[in-house]
Amino acid sequence: MMLHFRDPAKLKTKKIVFEEAYAARDSTTLEQLKELSSKRRMIEESINESSSITTAIAREMSGGLTSRSEQVLHNLDMYLPLLENLIFHVGMISNFSQIVRWNSELKMQWTSALSSSSFFNFKGPKYFQINSLQFEIGMTLFLYGAILRERALEVLPADLVQSATLFREAAGVFHHLAHKVLPILQYSLTAERPPEVVSSVSTVMSLICLAEAQAVTIKRAEEKGTTVGLLAKLHHGVAELLDEAAGVLNTASRECNDISSRIVEFISCCKALHELKSLKYFAESLKIANQFGAAIGVLRVALVDVKKKKMPGQESWKCVLKEEIDKFAELLRKHEHENEFVWHEKVPSEDELPKPEGNKIASIIPYQPKRWERQLAFKI
């Protein structure tokens, strides 16, 4: 079973009207700005849950899509190419002070799904405002990656291949954010910033998505009867990806001290779960190789280690982890019983035990930004 962490998709935003902020020089530009506002309003209403349209109309407007996540993705696919075009044309304007005025009038405001202050704000969600179109596209792309991840979880029970592909696409979006979009925004950031605009946080999300993609691939491998030795390496690879994510998150916390502990807890619980699964398969591979004593030693050390760890996090994560620990303890009991009556092998000390190797096979699907090439003209 996979652990679910749905917080990243819980973003909200306030209304933006592009045609009121940007001075269009002709009717064509004005119409395109209005279209941009209209496409964004669809996203606003979807994520703010403020839409007055019926489910049937929403389905019809999205081309027959029934899933909410699919509908949001459809709306984002309609909005992002128009936004990319606006950014391209605004970037060609040499009057920087004019751009600053326009962006200030837009009042681009988003909440954070990963900020600790967002969870303890009794006055309602806290909105962050940064007067830059890079902030708008950065938050929109973060939402896009998060919703792709939600869709991957949705289809997981029915289609493992599609689920893994969606996780890899989400990883690609976050990778693009971390390396192409957010570095440009750093010059516009104020001291008060949401974690979503910190490049290293997007790197963390990309690594989490890759770990999830590999976890889905392992489910498929288990169904196909893949050898226990390879399954051990694949699970250990997931744990290594999550360990890398934890390291990057530690760096991110120095850039932004307002990161929710829930993402740290999720990574810790996920890593512990896949370490246990890896060591279970690793012990089985040792048993097959007639190293019964070593198999018992691996199981013993792993069980002691995981029981030492204090695992915070939501109750559903703890339940999954506890279930895995109980299975692990029962497997150890059976092995010890069998060794006592059949094999009589000496159990090596911890220092003498073999160590599992990891194999990371999940790769990102690169995000390719699209721009609808339409001419825009502004009054400067």
Side-chain angles (χ1 to χ4, degrees), residues 114-158:
L114 300 178
S115 166
S116 55
S117 60
S118 295
F119 292 96
F120 302 104
N121 193 347
F122 300 108
K123 297 178 181 178
K126 178 180 179 179
Y127 283 86
F128 295 85
Q129 179 174 327
I130 298 172
N131 299 326
S132 167
L133 285 174
Q134 290 299 131
F135 175 58
E136 172 66 10
I137 198 162
M139 294 301 291
T140 305
L141 281 171
F142 195 97
L143 175 66
Y144 191 60
I147 299 295
L148 276 171
R149 187 171 166 270
E150 287 291 293
R151 181 60 185 156
L153 290 169
E154 266 183 23
V155 303
L156 177 59

Short mmCIF file of all heavy atoms in Angstrom, two decimals, residues 114-158:
data_model
loop_
_atom_site.label_atom_id
_atom_site.label_comp_id
_atom_site.label_asym_id
_atom_site.label_seq_id
_atom_site.Cartn_x
_atom_site.Cartn_y
_atom_site.Cartn_z
N LEU A 114 2.04 24.17 1.67
CA LEU A 114 3.17 23.56 2.39
C LEU A 114 3.72 24.45 3.49
O LEU A 114 4.76 24.16 4.08
CB LEU A 114 4.30 23.22 1.41
CG LEU A 114 3.95 22.24 0.29
CD1 LEU A 114 5.15 22.05 -0.63
CD2 LEU A 114 3.50 20.90 0.86
N SER A 115 3.02 25.54 3.77
CA SER A 115 3.47 26.48 4.81
C SER A 115 2.87 26.10 6.16
O SER A 115 1.68 25.81 6.26
CB SER A 115 3.04 27.90 4.42
OG SER A 115 3.18 28.78 5.51
N SER A 116 3.70 26.11 7.18
CA SER A 116 3.19 25.77 8.52
C SER A 116 2.20 26.82 9.00
O SER A 116 1.23 26.51 9.69
CB SER A 116 4.35 25.65 9.51
OG SER A 116 5.13 26.83 9.52
N SER A 117 2.40 28.09 8.61
CA SER A 117 1.49 29.16 9.05
C SER A 117 0.10 28.99 8.46
O SER A 117 -0.89 29.46 9.02
CB SER A 117 2.06 30.53 8.68
OG SER A 117 2.24 30.63 7.28
N SER A 118 0.00 28.29 7.31
CA SER A 118 -1.31 28.08 6.68
C SER A 118 -2.19 27.16 7.51
O SER A 118 -3.42 27.20 7.42
CB SER A 118 -1.13 27.49 5.28
OG SER A 118 -0.47 28.40 4.45
N PHE A 119 -1.57 26.28 8.32
CA PHE A 119 -2.33 25.31 9.11
C PHE A 119 -2.75 25.87 10.47
O PHE A 119 -3.57 25.30 11.14
CB PHE A 119 -1.51 24.03 9.30
CG PHE A 119 -1.29 23.27 8.03
CD1 PHE A 119 -0.13 23.45 7.29
CD2 PHE A 119 -2.26 22.42 7.54
CE1 PHE A 119 0.08 22.76 6.10
CE2 PHE A 119 -2.07 21.72 6.36
CZ PHE A 119 -0.91 21.90 5.64
N PHE A 120 -2.14 26.98 10.86
CA PHE A 120 -2.44 27.52 12.19
C PHE A 120 -2.92 28.96 12.10
O PHE A 120 -2.66 29.78 12.95
CB PHE A 120 -1.19 27.44 13.08
CG PHE A 120 -0.66 26.04 13.23
CD1 PHE A 120 0.48 25.64 12.55
CD2 PHE A 120 -1.30 25.12 14.03
CE1 PHE A 120 0.96 24.35 12.67
CE2 PHE A 120 -0.83 23.82 14.16
CZ PHE A 120 0.31 23.43 13.48
N ASN A 121 -3.62 29.28 11.01
CA ASN A 121 -4.13 30.63 10.81
C ASN A 121 -5.64 30.60 11.02
O ASN A 121 -6.39 30.14 10.18
CB ASN A 121 -3.79 31.11 9.39
CG ASN A 121 -4.01 32.59 9.22
OD1 ASN A 121 -4.64 33.23 10.07
ND2 ASN A 121 -3.50 33.15 8.15
N PHE A 122 -6.06 31.11 12.17
CA PHE A 122 -7.47 31.05 12.54
C PHE A 122 -8.31 32.09 11.80
O PHE A 122 -9.54 32.06 11.85
CB PHE A 122 -7.63 31.22 14.05
CG PHE A 122 -6.91 30.15 14.84
CD1 PHE A 122 -5.75 30.46 15.54
CD2 PHE A 122 -7.38 28.84 14.85
CE1 PHE A 122 -5.08 29.47 16.25
CE2 PHE A 122 -6.71 27.85 15.56
CZ PHE A 122 -5.55 28.16 16.26
N LYS A 123 -7.67 33.01 11.09
CA LYS A 123 -8.40 34.04 10.36
C LYS A 123 -8.72 33.60 8.93
O LYS A 123 -9.18 34.39 8.12
CB LYS A 123 -7.58 35.34 10.32
CG LYS A 123 -7.33 35.94 11.69
CD LYS A 123 -6.48 37.19 11.59
CE LYS A 123 -6.20 37.78 12.97
NZ LYS A 123 -5.33 38.98 12.89
N GLY A 124 -8.45 32.35 8.61
CA GLY A 124 -8.64 31.86 7.25
C GLY A 124 -7.30 31.70 6.57
O GLY A 124 -6.25 31.98 7.14
N PRO A 125 -7.31 31.23 5.33
CA PRO A 125 -6.05 30.98 4.64
C PRO A 125 -5.22 32.24 4.45
O PRO A 125 -5.76 33.31 4.16
CB PRO A 125 -6.49 30.39 3.29
CG PRO A 125 -7.90 30.83 3.11
CD PRO A 125 -8.47 30.92 4.48
N LYS A 126 -3.92 32.11 4.62
CA LYS A 126 -3.01 33.23 4.44
C LYS A 126 -2.62 33.33 2.97
O LYS A 126 -2.22 32.35 2.36
CB LYS A 126 -1.76 33.01 5.29
CG LYS A 126 -0.71 34.10 5.16
CD LYS A 126 0.49 33.79 6.03
CE LYS A 126 1.56 34.86 5.88
NZ LYS A 126 2.72 34.58 6.74
N TYR A 127 -2.74 34.54 2.40
CA TYR A 127 -2.40 34.74 1.00
C TYR A 127 -1.06 35.46 0.89
O TYR A 127 -0.78 36.40 1.63
CB TYR A 127 -3.48 35.57 0.29
CG TYR A 127 -4.71 34.76 -0.05
CD1 TYR A 127 -5.74 34.60 0.88
CD2 TYR A 127 -4.85 34.14 -1.29
CE1 TYR A 127 -6.86 33.84 0.58
CE2 TYR A 127 -5.97 33.39 -1.60
CZ TYR A 127 -6.97 33.24 -0.67
OH TYR A 127 -8.08 32.49 -0.97
N PHE A 128 -0.24 34.99 -0.04
CA PHE A 128 1.05 35.60 -0.33
C PHE A 128 0.92 36.37 -1.65
O PHE A 128 0.36 35.85 -2.61
CB PHE A 128 2.14 34.54 -0.47
CG PHE A 128 2.42 33.77 0.79
CD1 PHE A 128 1.64 32.67 1.13
CD2 PHE A 128 3.44 34.15 1.64
CE1 PHE A 128 1.90 31.94 2.28
CE2 PHE A 128 3.71 33.44 2.80
CZ PHE A 128 2.93 32.33 3.13
N GLN A 129 1.44 37.59 -1.67
CA GLN A 129 1.39 38.40 -2.89
C GLN A 129 2.81 38.76 -3.32
O GLN A 129 3.58 39.33 -2.55
CB GLN A 129 0.58 39.68 -2.69
CG GLN A 129 0.53 40.56 -3.95
CD GLN A 129 -0.39 41.76 -3.79
OE1 GLN A 129 -1.40 41.70 -3.10
NE2 GLN A 129 -0.06 42.86 -4.45
N ILE A 130 3.16 38.40 -4.54
CA ILE A 130 4.45 38.77 -5.13
C ILE A 130 4.14 39.34 -6.50
O ILE A 130 3.50 38.69 -7.33
CB ILE A 130 5.41 37.57 -5.22
CG1 ILE A 130 5.71 37.03 -3.82
CG2 ILE A 130 6.70 37.96 -5.93
CD1 ILE A 130 6.50 35.75 -3.78
N ASN A 131 4.59 40.56 -6.75
CA ASN A 131 4.20 41.27 -7.98
C ASN A 131 5.12 40.89 -9.14
O ASN A 131 5.94 41.68 -9.61
CB ASN A 131 4.23 42.79 -7.74
CG ASN A 131 3.25 43.20 -6.66
OD1 ASN A 131 2.18 42.61 -6.53
ND2 ASN A 131 3.61 44.21 -5.88
N SER A 132 4.95 39.66 -9.60
CA SER A 132 5.74 39.18 -10.73
C SER A 132 4.96 38.09 -11.46
O SER A 132 4.38 37.21 -10.81
CB SER A 132 7.08 38.61 -10.24
OG SER A 132 7.73 37.90 -11.27
N LEU A 133 4.98 38.14 -12.78
CA LEU A 133 4.32 37.10 -13.55
C LEU A 133 5.00 35.75 -13.36
O LEU A 133 4.39 34.70 -13.53
CB LEU A 133 4.30 37.46 -15.04
CG LEU A 133 3.29 38.54 -15.46
CD1 LEU A 133 3.47 38.90 -16.93
CD2 LEU A 133 1.85 38.10 -15.19
N GLN A 134 6.28 35.76 -12.97
CA GLN A 134 6.98 34.51 -12.67
C GLN A 134 6.38 33.84 -11.44
O GLN A 134 6.37 32.62 -11.33
CB GLN A 134 8.48 34.77 -12.45
CG GLN A 134 9.24 35.15 -13.71
CD GLN A 134 9.20 34.08 -14.79
OE1 GLN A 134 8.91 34.35 -15.95
NE2 GLN A 134 9.50 32.86 -14.43
N PHE A 135 5.87 34.64 -10.52
CA PHE A 135 5.17 34.10 -9.34
C PHE A 135 3.88 33.41 -9.79
O PHE A 135 3.57 32.30 -9.36
CB PHE A 135 4.86 35.22 -8.36
CG PHE A 135 4.02 34.80 -7.17
CD1 PHE A 135 4.45 33.80 -6.31
CD2 PHE A 135 2.79 35.40 -6.91
CE1 PHE A 135 3.69 33.40 -5.21
CE2 PHE A 135 2.02 35.01 -5.82
CZ PHE A 135 2.48 34.01 -4.97
N GLU A 136 3.16 34.06 -10.70
CA GLU A 136 1.90 33.49 -11.20
C GLU A 136 2.15 32.17 -11.93
O GLU A 136 1.47 31.18 -11.65
CB GLU A 136 1.21 34.50 -12.13
CG GLU A 136 0.00 33.97 -12.87
CD GLU A 136 -1.19 33.63 -11.98
OE1 GLU A 136 -1.18 33.97 -10.78
OE2 GLU A 136 -2.15 33.00 -12.49
N ILE A 137 3.13 32.15 -12.82
CA ILE A 137 3.36 30.90 -13.56
C ILE A 137 4.00 29.85 -12.66
O ILE A 137 3.74 28.64 -12.80
CB ILE A 137 4.20 31.13 -14.84
CG1 ILE A 137 4.02 29.93 -15.77
CG2 ILE A 137 5.68 31.38 -14.52
CD1 ILE A 137 4.43 30.17 -17.20
N GLY A 138 4.79 30.30 -11.69
CA GLY A 138 5.40 29.36 -10.74
C GLY A 138 4.35 28.65 -9.90
O GLY A 138 4.36 27.41 -9.78
N MET A 139 3.41 29.39 -9.35
CA MET A 139 2.35 28.79 -8.53
C MET A 139 1.40 27.95 -9.38
O MET A 139 0.92 26.90 -8.94
CB MET A 139 1.58 29.87 -7.78
CG MET A 139 2.40 30.63 -6.74
SD MET A 139 3.11 29.58 -5.44
CE MET A 139 1.64 29.07 -4.55
N THR A 140 1.14 28.41 -10.61
CA THR A 140 0.25 27.66 -11.50
C THR A 140 0.88 26.32 -11.88
O THR A 140 0.20 25.28 -11.89
CB THR A 140 -0.07 28.47 -12.77
OG1 THR A 140 -0.61 29.75 -12.39
CG2 THR A 140 -1.08 27.75 -13.64
N LEU A 141 2.18 26.33 -12.16
CA LEU A 141 2.88 25.08 -12.50
C LEU A 141 2.99 24.16 -11.28
O LEU A 141 2.91 22.94 -11.42
CB LEU A 141 4.26 25.39 -13.06
CG LEU A 141 4.29 25.83 -14.53
CD1 LEU A 141 5.69 26.31 -14.92
CD2 LEU A 141 3.85 24.69 -15.45
N PHE A 142 3.16 24.75 -10.10
CA PHE A 142 3.19 23.91 -8.89
C PHE A 142 1.84 23.20 -8.74
O PHE A 142 1.78 22.01 -8.45
CB PHE A 142 3.48 24.76 -7.65
CG PHE A 142 3.87 23.94 -6.45
CD1 PHE A 142 5.20 23.75 -6.12
CD2 PHE A 142 2.90 23.34 -5.65
CE1 PHE A 142 5.56 22.98 -5.02
CE2 PHE A 142 3.25 22.56 -4.56
CZ PHE A 142 4.59 22.39 -4.24
N LEU A 143 0.76 23.97 -8.96
CA LEU A 143 -0.57 23.38 -8.92
C LEU A 143 -0.70 22.29 -9.98
O LEU A 143 -1.26 21.21 -9.70
CB LEU A 143 -1.62 24.47 -9.15
CG LEU A 143 -3.08 23.99 -9.24
CD1 LEU A 143 -3.56 23.42 -7.92
CD2 LEU A 143 -4.00 25.14 -9.69
N TYR A 144 -0.18 22.53 -11.17
CA TYR A 144 -0.26 21.56 -12.26
C TYR A 144 0.43 20.25 -11.87
O TYR A 144 -0.13 19.16 -12.06
CB TYR A 144 0.39 22.17 -13.51
CG TYR A 144 0.17 21.38 -14.78
CD1 TYR A 144 -1.12 21.15 -15.27
CD2 TYR A 144 1.23 20.90 -15.53
CE1 TYR A 144 -1.33 20.46 -16.46
CE2 TYR A 144 1.03 20.20 -16.71
CZ TYR A 144 -0.25 19.98 -17.16
OH TYR A 144 -0.46 19.28 -18.33
N GLY A 145 1.64 20.36 -11.32
CA GLY A 145 2.35 19.16 -10.87
C GLY A 145 1.60 18.43 -9.77
O GLY A 145 1.52 17.20 -9.77
N ALA A 146 1.05 19.20 -8.84
CA ALA A 146 0.32 18.60 -7.71
C ALA A 146 -0.95 17.88 -8.18
O ALA A 146 -1.29 16.81 -7.67
CB ALA A 146 -0.03 19.68 -6.69
N ILE A 147 -1.65 18.47 -9.17
CA ILE A 147 -2.88 17.84 -9.67
C ILE A 147 -2.55 16.61 -10.52
O ILE A 147 -3.28 15.61 -10.49
CB ILE A 147 -3.74 18.85 -10.45
CG1 ILE A 147 -4.16 20.02 -9.55
CG2 ILE A 147 -4.98 18.17 -11.02
CD1 ILE A 147 -5.10 19.65 -8.40
N LEU A 148 -1.45 16.65 -11.28
CA LEU A 148 -1.00 15.45 -12.00
C LEU A 148 -0.76 14.31 -11.01
O LEU A 148 -1.12 13.16 -11.26
CB LEU A 148 0.30 15.74 -12.76
CG LEU A 148 0.18 16.39 -14.13
CD1 LEU A 148 1.56 16.79 -14.64
CD2 LEU A 148 -0.49 15.46 -15.14
N ARG A 149 -0.16 14.65 -9.88
CA ARG A 149 0.11 13.66 -8.83
C ARG A 149 -1.19 13.12 -8.25
O ARG A 149 -1.32 11.91 -8.00
CB ARG A 149 0.97 14.33 -7.76
CG ARG A 149 1.49 13.43 -6.68
CD ARG A 149 2.51 14.16 -5.81
NE ARG A 149 2.74 13.38 -4.61
CZ ARG A 149 2.06 13.52 -3.49
NH1 ARG A 149 1.09 14.42 -3.40
NH2 ARG A 149 2.32 12.76 -2.44
N GLU A 150 -2.18 14.00 -8.06
CA GLU A 150 -3.50 13.57 -7.58
C GLU A 150 -4.15 12.60 -8.57
O GLU A 150 -4.73 11.60 -8.19
CB GLU A 150 -4.41 14.78 -7.38
CG GLU A 150 -4.08 15.63 -6.17
CD GLU A 150 -4.39 14.90 -4.88
OE1 GLU A 150 -5.57 14.65 -4.60
OE2 GLU A 150 -3.42 14.59 -4.16
N ARG A 151 -4.03 12.94 -9.85
CA ARG A 151 -4.61 12.09 -10.89
C ARG A 151 -3.92 10.72 -10.90
O ARG A 151 -4.57 9.69 -11.11
CB ARG A 151 -4.49 12.78 -12.25
CG ARG A 151 -5.09 12.00 -13.42
CD ARG A 151 -6.57 11.74 -13.23
NE ARG A 151 -7.11 10.90 -14.29
CZ ARG A 151 -8.21 10.16 -14.17
NH1 ARG A 151 -8.89 10.15 -13.04
NH2 ARG A 151 -8.63 9.43 -15.17
N ALA A 152 -2.61 10.71 -10.67
CA ALA A 152 -1.86 9.44 -10.62
C ALA A 152 -2.39 8.55 -9.50
O ALA A 152 -2.52 7.34 -9.67
CB ALA A 152 -0.37 9.73 -10.41
N LEU A 153 -2.71 9.16 -8.36
CA LEU A 153 -3.27 8.40 -7.24
C LEU A 153 -4.68 7.89 -7.56
O LEU A 153 -5.06 6.80 -7.16
CB LEU A 153 -3.29 9.26 -5.97
CG LEU A 153 -1.93 9.58 -5.34
CD1 LEU A 153 -2.07 10.65 -4.28
CD2 LEU A 153 -1.31 8.32 -4.75
N GLU A 154 -5.44 8.70 -8.31
CA GLU A 154 -6.80 8.32 -8.70
C GLU A 154 -6.83 7.06 -9.56
O GLU A 154 -7.65 6.18 -9.37
CB GLU A 154 -7.46 9.46 -9.49
CG GLU A 154 -8.28 10.42 -8.67
CD GLU A 154 -8.95 11.48 -9.54
OE1 GLU A 154 -9.14 11.24 -10.76
OE2 GLU A 154 -9.27 12.56 -9.01
N VAL A 155 -5.93 7.02 -10.55
CA VAL A 155 -5.96 5.91 -11.51
C VAL A 155 -5.18 4.70 -11.02
O VAL A 155 -5.23 3.64 -11.66
CB VAL A 155 -5.43 6.34 -12.90
CG1 VAL A 155 -6.22 7.51 -13.44
CG2 VAL A 155 -3.94 6.67 -12.86
N LEU A 156 -4.47 4.84 -9.91
CA LEU A 156 -3.62 3.77 -9.40
C LEU A 156 -4.32 2.41 -9.27
O LEU A 156 -3.78 1.39 -9.72
CB LEU A 156 -3.02 4.20 -8.05
CG LEU A 156 -2.15 3.19 -7.30
CD1 LEU A 156 -0.95 2.78 -8.14
CD2 LEU A 156 -1.69 3.76 -5.97
N PRO A 157 -5.54 2.35 -8.71
CA PRO A 157 -6.16 1.02 -8.56
C PRO A 157 -6.49 0.34 -9.88
O PRO A 157 -6.55 -0.89 -9.95
CB PRO A 157 -7.46 1.34 -7.78
CG PRO A 157 -7.23 2.68 -7.16
CD PRO A 157 -6.36 3.41 -8.11
N ALA A 158 -6.69 1.12 -10.96
CA ALA A 158 -7.15 0.55 -12.22
C ALA A 158 -6.05 0.41 -13.27
O ALA A 158 -6.12 -0.47 -14.13
CB ALA A 158 -8.28 1.41 -12.80
#
